[in-house]
Amino acid sequence: MQRFFIPKDWIQQDTVTITGEPLRQIGYVLRLKPTDRIIVLDNSGWEFEVEIETYYQRAGARKVITKETGQGEPRIKITLYQGALEIG
């Protein structure tokens, strides 16, 4: 499922209004249609699964299906080291 980062003020209750570059990518690049679903993230730790309802040239409306806490970065940190091989 496609993910998009959007400003928090684009999300109102159970509707997401998308404009600008994300809208162009959804409609013209990915060619998503009504009933297709995407995930939007608002940089506050939440991710929203939304269903495309309408699509216009300047704005598209989406209905929020689910709201979950974002997965984010894993809690485990791994550090990799490369050993230097000395010949001679």
Side-chain angles (χ1 to χ4, degrees), residues 18 26 51 59 61 66:
I18 298 177
I26 289 168
E51 181 178 290
T66 61

Side-chain angles (χ1 to χ4, degrees), residues 3-84:
R3 294 173 177 260
F4 297 90
F5 286 94
I6 61 169
K8 192 173 187 173
D9 60 335
W10 287 7
I11 302 169
Q12 302 295 326
Q13 300 289 328
D14 63 345
T15 303
V16 178
T17 302
I18 298 177
T19 62
E21 182 60 27
L23 181 68
R24 186 191 73 76
Q25 188 174 9
I26 289 168
Y28 295 112
V29 177
L30 299 172
R31 298 180 187 262
L32 299 177
K33 304 288 183 218
T35 70
D36 287 340
R37 293 185 177 184
I38 59 173
I39 293 178
V40 297
L41 301 113
D42 65 354
N43 205 22
S44 68
W46 293 100
E47 63 180 48
F48 302 85
E49 182 180 346
V50 296
E51 181 178 290
I52 299 171
E53 287 187 331
T54 59
Y55 179 82
Y56 303 103
Q57 286 184 339
R58 296 193 186 274
R62 281 93 177 115
K63 180 181 177 187
V64 174
I65 303 299
T66 61
K67 176 182 176 182
E68 300 175 358
T69 55
Q71 299 300 316
E73 295 292 322
R75 295 183 188 261
I76 299 173
K77 290 193 170 209
I78 297 175
T79 305
L80 298 176
Y81 295 98
Q82 181 177 353

